[in-house]
Every structure is written in structure tokens, then in C-alpha cells.
Amino acid sequence: MNIFYNKQGIGDVLLVQLQTETPEKIHPEQFGDVTLIKDGAGEIAGFNLFNASSYAEISGNKQVEVTEELVTVIQHALAKNNIDFVLEVDFSPKFVVGYVEAKEKHPNADKLNVCQVALGDEHLQIVCGAPNVEQGQKVVIARVGAVMPSGMIIRDAELRGVASSGMICSAKELALPDAPEAKGILVLPEDAEIGSAFEVKA
């Protein structure tokens, strides 16, 4: 779940995104202060909560940190507007330290590599175009559902016929101070803990 708020730009509205993909066709339904946004299959893809500041104290301008407290408040707001829908939220970190276990050339693209990355108990296959990615590195992984500082949402993808789940990040993509201009992923120190959260400022 991703939550956005921009009072100056669009008013006192909380934008809640539940699906990583934007539906091709949307069907809005209004219930009091809530507009449900359903996809073509009738599933709730997201919703807008109007008069948001009357339900919760919201700080920031753009992406809002998803906390258990905020989810509880939003759940109560849905109930108050007669919407019977339970929010299921993954609170696991979206930016984590990963370990490149294996790297092989992409079968259909000279400048891409297919990497097998460990995040503790979880393993991902990620297609990476960085020239400096190598087996044995500790790196920052943006998992599916992560919102990059640029506003881009990480989604499951297929690059030249090979599935990719997540992104190996550069310092520039993470908006780190003094990030180098040269292309290449951020390689972390040896003592970085695999699977631990990596703090990224939206």
C-alpha cells in the first residue's frame, strides 16, 4: 500500500494506492468522504479519502509513511463511511540490503545481467543493467511496491523475456547526497547486514 498527500496541489485528500499496477479501466464509486477506485474486475485498486485532516493528522507533502497507527485511522475512516473493506498491509521494509549470489549474462541483451539476489530468507531474480554489478556484492534492493525518491513505483517486470522482481539501486536513484554521476549500482560495505532495512528518504 502506498499513500500520498499534497494539500497545496490537490487539496485535503489522501490518495491510497493498493495495487502496484494502474488499472486500464477504472470505476469510481462514492461513499461519503471516500471514492473507491475499482479495476475492470471489480477489485479495489485504491481510494481517495476527502477531508483527510478531519480523520488524521497528516504531515509531509507527497508520499506519506505507512504506519500501523495510520492504517488503523484509515480503517476507521472507511467504516465511518459505510465501507466494509479490510486493509491488508505489508509492513516489511521496501528497501533492503541484498547479496548478489549469482550473475549471468542476459540471453537476449548484451548490456543486461540476470542476478540472483538473497534478502535473508527471501530470494529474488533481478535483471540489472549496471556495468559494475558482480557476484558477491552487498547492494541496496528496492522490492516490488517500493516508491523511489523520483516517485517511480517498482513493479514486477519482464525485460527482454526474462522476469525481474525488484531493482538493484544506484546512489543517484536513492537520492543519496554526493551521489556519483557515473552509472553504477551502490556497493555496500562487507559488514552490511543482509535483509536489513536501508533507509531511503522519499
Side-chain angles (χ1 to χ4, degrees):
M1 182 168 81
N2 293 306
I3 302 177
F4 303 90
Y5 184 75
N6 184 348
K7 190 171 184 178
Q8 291 182 339
I10 60 174
D12 190 17
V13 185
L14 206 63
L15 308 177
V16 180
Q17 183 181 32
L18 301 176
Q19 298 180 0
T20 55
E21 298 289 341
T22 302
E24 291 184 9
K25 293 183 179 181
I26 61 171
H27 305 281
E29 295 182 11
Q30 189 74 33
F31 297 87
D33 281 337
V34 178
T35 298
L36 294 181
I37 301 168
K38 295 186 176 181
D39 60 19
E43 298 292 325
I44 298 175
F47 55 87
N48 299 336
L49 175 62
F50 294 87
N51 302 310
S53 60
S54 68
Y55 295 95
E57 290 186 16
I58 304 165
S59 60
N61 188 25
K62 289 187 180 178
Q63 189 182 8
V64 179
E65 181 183 1
V66 180
T67 63
E68 291 187 36
E69 182 182 5
L70 180 57
V71 170
T72 299
V73 168
I74 294 173
Q75 188 71 71
H76 288 160
L78 292 175
K80 192 172 181 179
N81 287 277
N82 299 313
I83 297 171
D84 184 17
F85 178 72
V86 177
L87 295 169
E88 296 180 0
V89 184
D90 177 11
F91 287 105
S92 61
K94 295 302 181 186
F95 295 91
V96 294
V97 176
Y99 178 76
V100 182
E101 293 185 317
K103 178 193 102 169
E104 60 183 29
K105 280 291 183 185
H106 191 295
N108 303 316
D110 292 338
K111 294 185 178 181
L112 297 178
N113 293 293
V114 181
C115 300
Q116 306 301 325
V117 183
L119 308 177
D121 294 336
E122 185 180 6
H123 289 76
L124 301 176
Q125 176 172 284
I126 299 176
V127 177
C128 179
N132 66 327
V133 65
E134 295 293 346
Q135 181 179 349
Q137 291 173 333
K138 290 183 178 179
V139 295
V140 179
I141 303 299
R143 297 172 60 206
V144 171
V147 179
M148 302 298 294
S150 66
M152 179 179 72
I153 299 174
I154 302 302
R155 298 179 170 91
D156 279 314
E158 189 173 290
L159 301 174
R160 296 286 186 92
V162 175
S164 181
S165 297
M167 184 171 78
I168 304 176
C169 303
S170 70
K172 189 174 182 180
E173 289 165 333
L174 296 169
L176 298 182
D178 302 320
E181 289 296 323
K183 289 184 178 180
I185 58 167
L186 174 65
V187 180
L188 299 174
E190 281 294 316
D191 60 357
E193 184 180 349
I194 298 169
S196 64
F198 186 92
E199 185 178 351
V200 174
K201 295 183 179 179

